[in-house]
């Protein structure tokens, strides 16, 4: 569950629904990066997806499953879920998931800011 994701966890297996997709940006070396807001019944988190792995991501009623190769880390004090080089993302359904946008586990909080300094 999203509520169980903590900085430093690796090889995560999470099922979520995509709520929002930020604009696609390109890195200096040509990689595409998508930042998305995703949620399950326990809350929401920011997802950062690189290159073709982000292809199946669409906003709205799309239910996706993250399979291995993913990790959680802090970026500017905000908890974020990232794809690794071997991460996988699979569409497993549409319009079939109860979710909650709150709490947003990617919002800065004092616990994460303290961990960022370690």
């Amino acid at each position: 569950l999203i509520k169980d994701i903590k900085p430093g966890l690796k090889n995560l297996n999470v099922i979520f629904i995509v709520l929002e997709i930020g604009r696609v940006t390109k890195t200096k070396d040509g990689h595409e990066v998508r930042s998305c807001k995703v949620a399950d019944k326990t809350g929401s988190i920011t997802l950062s997806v690189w290159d073709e792995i982000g292809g199946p991501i669409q906003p709205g009623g799309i239910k996706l499953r993250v399979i291995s190769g993913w990790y959680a880390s802090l970026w500017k004090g905000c908890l974020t879920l990232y794809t690794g080089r071997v991460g996988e993302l699979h569409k497993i359904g549409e319009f079939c998931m109860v979710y909650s946008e709150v709490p947003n586990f990617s919002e800065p909080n004092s616990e994460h800011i303290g961990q960022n300094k370690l």
Side-chain angles (χ1 to χ4, degrees):
L1 298 172
I2 288 176
K3 74 174 180 64
D4 299 324
I5 297 173
K6 305 284 183 235
L9 288 181
K10 297 178 181 177
N11 293 320
L12 298 169
N13 187 343
V14 184
I15 296 174
F16 53 75
I17 190 165
V18 178
L19 302 180
E20 301 171 9
I21 299 177
R23 67 179 190 26
V24 176
T25 58
K26 287 210 177 214
T27 64
K28 288 185 262 181
D29 51 352
H31 293 283
E32 288 187 352
V33 181
R34 291 171 177 82
S35 288
C36 311
K37 183 177 181 182
V38 299
D40 68 9
K41 66 182 180 182
T42 65
S44 62
I45 192 169
T46 298
L47 174 75
S48 182
V49 186
W50 287 62
D51 297 324
E52 66 276 352
I53 295 172
I57 295 179
Q58 299 291 324
I62 306 297
K63 188 172 167 186
L64 298 170
R65 177 181 209 129
V66 160
I67 301 178
S68 71
W70 290 71
Y71 64 95
S73 186
L74 295 174
W75 187 74
K76 296 186 178 182
C78 300
L79 183 61
T80 304
L81 187 57
Y82 292 94
T83 178
R85 292 177 193 242
V86 295
E88 294 180 37
L89 187 65
H90 297 281
K91 180 178 174 182
I92 59 173
E94 293 186 39
F95 300 105
C96 56
M97 185 171 193
V98 174
Y99 68 91
S100 175
E101 291 188 57
V102 292
N104 182 343
F105 292 99
S106 290
E107 289 182 347
N109 68 46
S110 58
E111 179 183 325
H112 292 158
I113 291 168
Q115 288 180 6
N116 226 17
K117 293 179 182 176
L118 295 176

